[in-house]
Amino acid sequence: MAYADTIYRTCYSQEAKQKTVFLASEYAKTQIAVVSGMAKGIDSYAHTACLNSGGYTIAILGNGLDICYPSEHHKLMKCIEEKGLLLSEYPPGTPPSRYTFPRRNRLISSWSDKLIIIQAGKGSGALITAEYSRKYGRKVEI
């Protein structure tokens, strides 16, 4: 797949969830990979919708690959491991922290051709990712 999009989150409204599921499903149908961070909310909706539509998804983690964060995403992580790609720049045993997530966002931008932000609050990880995306010359759609 030559094209990858990131669908990013900061809110959990029903409208945002529906838009995310629609976009991720459409990307899957057109063989565009969905790149996200496996976080709670919109990230997990994007990964799940993509997988459910037979697509390819990439989860870039802010911790070692031997740690599932958030812990309730064990099933999702296993499914991505089997049908997509899990990536981390951190060695096994590295716990998630407030320092690892901004660095992870840098990788999310670098692996994507376009960043789609569903909603973003001031100072959110989505806005950090948007800054990196612009720096790398990627498209940013809000």
Side-chain angles (χ1 to χ4, degrees), residues 7-88:
I7 301 173
Y8 219 90
R9 62 79 181 100
T10 310
C11 83
Y12 305 95
S13 73
Q14 196 61 23
E15 181 183 346
K17 178 182 176 181
Q18 290 171 349
K19 184 174 182 178
T20 301
V21 169
F22 173 78
L23 287 172
S25 298
E26 289 300 306
Y27 285 137
K29 291 174 190 173
T30 57
Q31 297 185 335
I32 296 172
V34 172
V35 180
S36 202
M38 209 177 80
K40 290 182 184 181
I42 299 302
D43 284 25
S44 64
Y45 302 143
H47 289 303
T48 301
C50 182
L51 291 167
N52 287 344
S53 296
Y56 189 78
T57 190
I58 300 168
I60 301 179
L61 309 181
N63 45 265
L65 290 174
D66 59 331
I67 297 171
C68 181
Y69 182 82
S71 60
E72 62 266 24
H73 285 176
H74 280 286
K75 185 176 177 182
L76 175 59
M77 187 173 181
K78 184 68 173 165
C79 194
I80 295 170
E81 181 181 357
E82 293 171 359
K83 298 179 181 179
L85 178 65
L86 294 168
L87 288 174
S88 176

Side-chain angles (χ1 to χ4, degrees), residues 100-121:
T100 59
F101 289 107
R103 290 186 53 82
R104 177 227 27 206
N105 295 347
R106 167 187 116 266
L107 291 177
I108 289 172
S109 343
S110 69
W111 276 71
S112 304
D113 295 305
K114 179 170 66 173
L115 173 71
I116 298 173
I117 298 177
I118 303 297
Q119 286 185 319

